[in-house]
Amino acid sequence: MDLLLRTGSSEQTQQVGAALAPLLLAHDVLVLTGDLGAGKTTLTRGIAHGLGATEHVQSPTFTLVREYLTGRLPVAHVDVYRLSRVQDVVDLALEELDGGHEGVLLVEWGDAVEDLLAGEHLRVTLTARDPVDVDRRIVLSATDAAWTDRWNDLGVALDRWVMRG
Ligand code: ADP
Ligand code: MG
């Protein structure tokens, strides 16, 4: 299952996150991949605010994990970019977060840890075709049952940004 989206501004990428937010359930894991500046943190900001979180959302690059607790579901936002060894992620109890966190787990640069994440997840791949342009491709893909039930609703919620043809 793949959903291919296009956005033309940072605001639109945040709107995608906000439109996705109502479909999120406790224990969901989103793996966000894409180059630096692709929009992973921007999308996360939209998701957190779409869940009703009022905190300022910024990159967890230097802190590894930021939590936003004021929305409908708590959000744990992890960035593993700075970690030189994937094993560090395990040491930092990502597995514990994965299974034990009552909210939503968003992992930036998640492809490095995708194999370590125990459960089902939604993979979000962001691509800037030209680094100086605002155009972004966002591919949502799920292989897991947890998302099958929501796939139609997801398509409806994100219809504005779906690429056709
Ligand atoms: P990442 O977390 O992937 O490194 P960020 O979300 O921190 O990326 O940064 C994305 C940058 O690209 C921001 O400066 C944002 O304003 C800019 N930008 C321009 N167009 C878009 C777009 N369509 N979607 C997301 N970000 C965009
Ligand atoms: Mg980031």
Side-chain angles (χ1 to χ4, degrees), residues 29 63-65 67 76-78 80 83 85-102 105 107 113 116-118:
V29 178
T63 54
L64 187 64
V65 185
E67 290 195 280
H77 181 201
V78 180
V80 298
L83 300 183
R85 295 177 306 129
V86 168
Q87 187 60 40
D88 290 345
V89 178
V90 178
D91 297 344
L92 285 155
L94 184 60
E95 283 183 327
E96 197 176 304
L97 276 175
D98 187 7
H101 192 262
E102 287 304 312
L105 174 62
V107 188
V113 293
L116 296 173
L117 294 167

Side-chain angles (χ1 to χ4, degrees), residues 51-136:
L51 286 168
T54 53
E55 294 100 329
H56 181 56
V57 174
Q58 39 183 347
S59 173
T61 299
F62 299 101
T63 54
L64 187 64
V65 185
R66 287 183 189 273
E67 290 195 280
Y68 306 106
L69 304 175
T70 58
R72 177 175 67 83
L73 295 166
V75 175
H77 181 201
V78 180
D79 191 335
V80 298
Y81 179 52
R82 304 288 296 183
L83 300 183
S84 53
R85 295 177 306 129
V86 168
Q87 187 60 40
D88 290 345
V89 178
V90 178
D91 297 344
L92 285 155
L94 184 60
E95 283 183 327
E96 197 176 304
L97 276 175
D98 187 7
H101 192 262
E102 287 304 312
V104 177
L105 174 62
L106 305 177
V107 188
E108 286 196 35
W109 300 89
D111 48 352
V113 293
E114 202 165 11
D115 292 343
L116 296 173
L117 294 167
E120 302 169 333
H121 56 266
L122 182 70
R123 185 191 306 146
V124 183
T125 307
L126 297 104
T127 317
R129 291 205 293 191
D130 178 340
V132 296
D133 192 46
V134 292
D135 193 73
R136 297 290 188 276

Side-chain angles (χ1 to χ4, degrees), residues 39-52:
K40 302 179 294 297
T41 298
T42 301
L43 183 72
T44 298
R45 183 171 296 130
I47 291 171
H49 290 161
L51 286 168

